[in-house]
Amino acid sequence: MTTQLLQEATAFLWTEGDMLDRREYSAWLDLWSEDGLYVVPVDPLETDFFNSLNYANDDADMRRLRVERLTGGESISVSPAPRTVRQISRVRIVGEEAGVVTVRSAQLLSEFRKNGVRSSAADVEYRLLRAGPGFKLQRKVVRLVNADDPQMIVGFIY
Amino acid sequence: MSMQPENTVPALRPIELRRNVADLVQPDRVHTSLYTDPALFQAEMEAIFHNTWVWVAHESEVPEAGNYKTHWVGKQPVIVVRDRKGQINVLLNRCRHRGATVCEGKKGKTNSFVCPYHGWSYAHDGSLRGVPAPDSYGDTLDKSQYPLISLRTESHAGMVFATFKQDIQPLRDHLGPARKWIDLFMKQGGGYPVKARGTHRFRFPGNWKIQLENTTDAYHFPVVHKSFLSSVDEQTKKVFNFLGNPGFVEDLGNGHSVSVMIPELVDLDADLDLPIPGRFEALAAALREEGHPEEQVRRIVRAVGGTGFNLNIFPNIACSMSFFRVLQPIAVDETEVHHIALTMEGGPEAANQARLRLHEHFQGPMGFGTPDDGEAWERVQKGVAAGTDLWILVNRGLPGEVRTPDGLKSDVSAETGMRGAYREWLRLMTA
């Protein structure tokens, strides 16, 4: 694994995280490949996201609908919208196969809406599809450290 | 809060506003303190949760000998475990020696429950099997006297309930007319047994009864769930237009009630020749492709979206369209909710995946529905800090209410179910 690939992948992860914190959702949607999958599983050890229950299992349609929900002004749980700041670190290139780079990272996210700051920690796995000079996001799996414990309601995208 | 010992009769204790408990529930309203008074909350845990049947599991959660799940009855932690005879036992999760929990997993499989502190071990039926180094006890430790405490346990259609009250009426009688609605609910197996398949757990800062009320509250749906309705196709939106449907709410007695939002989806085995809704056409095609006969395709597809009603069983469980909603009171102003997703055991993978995706679409902390419910409930708890001697109105639908063989019935957005629940609340709190 080259340092350059680590830098390129990390730059992509940071860009993606920055877009989500700034709620630049339409730019975020454009980061994805059409067959991309965004998943937040209930069981942090889950590998079969289709035959198990997740908090989110979003294909392209559901990602678009989720963004509409978060920005459409019809949802009382995102009015006002939460503010988030996330740190993405401990980035590791896990491997590359057939033009898909698998990356793992740590994500610490702080959120404020109206009742104080809440924090979450997650191990996030990305599959980045090489596309021209950059990447398209093909899979993002957010494994919350407390995924199988009670959650509070979520008005943002991890 | 007072420092009275816990075994005094809490229902008779005057609460903050010096009103008697009996005065807090009127036929058309309930007092704000039902959401806010910590003393009342303590009293409820005893007078309600220790004196009625409390749901603890669906049998599919503990399918084989040694399968267990941990849960609560009121605030008391319990283990629900199936033994080698196939019987489901509900045991207090507390070692009889010095009190440690003997099981910490949410679910799993085990041969025995071994206390981590001194190694006392218990069988699936709760009996004390052995204690390490027993010599020090001489002949003073009669093991038969120290099993894990076992609760009276009964079930209906796979729904397992437990109770601390040994002389309570049988579950069958307690459920009464709710039984036939449970049976209707289970038809969403589409010919297969209903299986619990994963749980969304979340908490909201509000009293448990705010959520209890919500289960038979069709009135809130078009207001709170606008963003969900905007995310579905026009045909589905029409189906979810509850207030425009000829549904009803019926009080079934003993605090139970049913809200029929989509009357045409009450009996999922009926009307199999109706056109397949657009949103399920791809699923129907996939099932045909797999070689299922047309009648089975139609039965599965009709069942896949769940029933057209919410059945509220007092105090802690609802059969809610396509999932189980479990209520767990944490504090007067904090409640944990479990949304248990259901699938068809042994059914087609495509149908079960569709069920899981539908659950994720609405339910849970990242669903398109639940977070807005959570916000509304939180707002209630915040709001009732104002006007502490005001009342919560539950009078909607009173003028149109009629008596039925099963109880009382009114229009789809009536608060008839809530009134029934509060009548049972009052009966238990003043018993």
Side-chain angles (χ1 to χ4, degrees):
Chain A
M1 297 305 151
T2 65
T3 306
Q4 191 189 339
L5 178 58
L6 180 65
Q7 281 180 340
E8 286 171 3
T10 303
F12 184 90
L13 268 48
W14 283 344
T15 300
E16 194 239 349
D18 187 62
M19 285 177 179
L20 288 175
D21 282 342
R22 289 171 193 286
R23 299 197 293 280
E24 295 169 0
Y25 289 130
S26 81
W28 180 75
L29 289 173
D30 289 340
L31 290 180
W32 287 84
S33 70
E34 186 54 27
D35 63 347
L37 184 70
Y38 170 81
V39 190
V40 184
V42 170
D43 176 353
L45 302 177
E46 189 57 68
T47 54
D48 180 353
F49 308 119
F50 297 101
N51 293 301
S52 61
L53 184 70
N54 308 282
Y55 293 115
N57 177 322
D58 291 358
D59 59 11
D61 281 345
M62 280 298 283
R63 285 194 298 277
R64 185 178 48 76
L65 290 171
R66 185 176 297 281
V67 165
E68 279 173 20
R69 187 181 120 75
L70 295 181
T71 56
E74 292 182 325
S75 163
I76 53 173
S77 61
V78 286
S79 312
R83 294 176 209 141
T84 61
V85 171
R86 68 195 72 200
Q87 299 181 65
I88 297 158
S89 186
R90 200 214 61 203
V91 180
R92 180 182 177 188
I93 307 290
V94 181
E96 177 168 3
E97 209 180 309
V100 177
V101 181
T102 301
V103 184
R104 251 197 323 261
S105 73
Q107 172 170 293
L108 299 178
L109 185 150
S110 296
E111 178 223 354
F112 171 77
R113 192 163 160 257
K114 50 183 186 176
N115 298 327
V117 174
R118 295 190 328 216
S119 304
S120 68
D123 186 275
V124 188
E125 188 180 307
Y126 301 81
R127 286 192 199 164
L128 308 179
L129 178 69
R130 285 192 186 272
F135 300 109
K136 281 285 184 186
L137 189 46
Q138 194 181 57
R139 181 172 282 203
K140 178 177 179 181
V141 181
V142 181
R143 294 187 169 91
L144 297 163
V145 290
N146 63 339
D148 46 1
D149 225 35
Q151 306 289 306
M152 300 302 274
I153 60 178
V154 175
F156 55 90
I157 294 176
Y158 282 112
Chain B
M1 281 173 60
S2 69
M3 297 298 289
Q4 295 176 45
E6 282 187 14
N7 61 1
T8 54
V9 180
L12 301 177
R13 185 161 56 196
I15 58 151
E16 282 173 354
L17 290 164
R18 307 292 165 205
R19 288 176 183 273
N20 289 319
V21 172
D23 298 332
L24 298 176
V25 175
Q26 305 291 329
D28 63 345
R29 62 190 63 201
V30 298
H31 195 262
T32 292
S33 56
L34 264 71
Y35 294 165
T36 56
D37 189 328
L40 214 44
F41 178 83
Q42 285 305 116
E44 286 173 338
M45 293 306 104
E46 181 74 28
I48 295 174
F49 283 84
H50 292 178
N51 279 286
T52 192
W53 287 104
V54 174
W55 185 92
V56 291
H58 183 256
E59 63 181 12
S60 67
E61 295 180 278
V62 287
E64 292 169 12
N67 278 134
Y68 69 83
K69 72 175 271 195
T70 50
H71 203 68
W72 305 265
V73 174
K75 301 276 285 178
Q76 301 204 23
V78 298
I79 308 165
V80 183
V81 58
R82 195 185 283 270
D83 63 30
R84 283 183 183 79
K85 291 174 200 149
Q87 189 180 320
I88 295 174
N89 304 297
V90 180
L91 310 167
L92 291 191
N93 191 358
R94 177 205 159 110
C95 180
R96 295 300 303 278
H97 174 215
R98 298 252 292 278
T101 58
V102 298
C103 181
E104 283 285 300
K106 287 192 173 67
K107 59 178 183 175
K109 195 166 190 177
T110 187
N111 286 323
S112 60
F113 298 105
V114 181
C115 180
Y117 199 2
H118 303 92
W120 286 32
S121 71
Y122 301 88
H124 296 147
D125 65 359
S127 57
L128 177 58
R129 285 212 300 217
V131 306
D135 293 352
S136 174
Y137 288 109
D139 60 3
T140 61
L141 185 73
D142 176 359
K143 288 206 295 258
S144 72
Q145 296 303 302
Y146 296 100
L148 297 177
I149 301 293
S150 186
L151 270 57
R152 188 174 155 194
T153 305
E154 290 178 17
S155 63
H156 175 78
M159 303 289 271
V160 185
F161 294 76
T163 182
F164 281 98
K165 191 172 164 66
Q166 287 299 327
D167 61 349
I168 196 172
Q169 65 179 338
L171 177 67
R172 188 185 163 77
D173 299 338
H174 171 72
L175 293 174
R179 270 185 291 130
K180 66 169 180 278
W181 289 98
I182 295 176
D183 297 344
L184 283 167
F185 184 82
M186 297 304 170
K187 288 188 179 189
Q188 67 190 287
Y192 302 91
V194 164
K195 180 171 175 56
R197 185 94 163 260
T199 303
H200 286 153
R201 294 179 169 84
F202 65 96
R203 290 188 177 192
F204 71 93
N207 187 268
W208 64 279
K209 296 184 295 300
I210 298 170
Q211 213 293 326
L212 181 79
E213 292 168 10
N214 180 262
T215 292
T216 56
D217 181 345
Y219 194 26
H220 83 288
F221 203 92
V223 181
V224 170
H225 298 305
K226 266 192 208 125
S227 80
F228 169 76
L229 291 168
S230 292
S231 74
V232 299
D233 63 84
E234 284 305 314
Q235 194 182 17
T236 308
K237 196 181 286 186
K238 220 169 156 183
V239 171
F240 279 85
N241 178 20
F242 304 147
L243 303 195
N245 289 341
F248 61 88
V249 179
E250 192 167 8
D251 169 358
L252 304 171
N254 294 339
H256 317 318
S257 60
V258 64
S259 166
V260 176
M261 295 92 76
I262 312 170
E264 63 269 29
L265 291 177
V266 165
D267 184 349
L268 295 174
D269 285 346
D271 300 325
L272 293 181
D273 49 352
L274 287 178
I276 288 173
R279 63 172 174 156
F280 296 134
E281 268 166 14
L283 173 63
L287 295 174
R288 286 186 196 110
E289 188 99 336
E290 285 178 18
H292 296 277
E294 186 60 22
E295 197 193 321
Q296 199 187 13
V297 169
R298 287 180 168 269
R299 191 174 183 200
I300 290 167
V301 167
R302 188 164 151 80
V304 86
T307 64
F309 61 85
N310 285 355
L311 173 67
N312 212 6
I313 299 174
F314 190 88
N316 76 324
I317 180 75
C319 296
S320 190
M321 293 188 84
S322 59
F323 65 99
F324 297 142
R325 183 276 286 141
V326 190
L327 272 181
Q328 179 54 40
I330 303 295
V332 68
D333 57 359
E334 189 173 9
T335 302
E336 186 169 315
V337 182
H338 299 176
H339 287 168
I340 301 179
L342 304 174
T343 54
M344 306 168 177
E345 185 173 14
E349 195 173 73
N352 284 335
Q353 289 187 358
R355 287 191 63 95
L356 291 165
R357 300 296 87 79
L358 287 170
H359 190 92
E360 289 157 355
H361 188 161
F362 192 95
Q363 313 304 334
M366 294 185 79
F368 287 26
T370 299
D372 295 326
D373 279 324
E375 172 71 10
W377 305 335
E378 179 177 338
R379 294 276 285 270
V380 171
Q381 193 70 31
K382 279 172 111 168
V384 294
T388 52
D389 204 16
L390 293 176
W391 295 75
I392 305 292
L393 292 183
V394 289
N395 58 342
R396 198 175 157 80
L398 262 175
E401 205 161 81
V402 295
R403 197 155 278 288
T404 65
D406 289 345
L408 292 165
K409 190 172 178 175
S410 192
D411 69 273
V412 65
S413 67
E415 286 156 351
T416 303
M418 301 168 210
R419 291 191 287 274
Y422 283 119
R423 203 176 305 115
E424 178 70 355
W425 184 94
L426 186 64
R427 185 186 74 77
L428 288 164
M429 291 291 281
T430 55

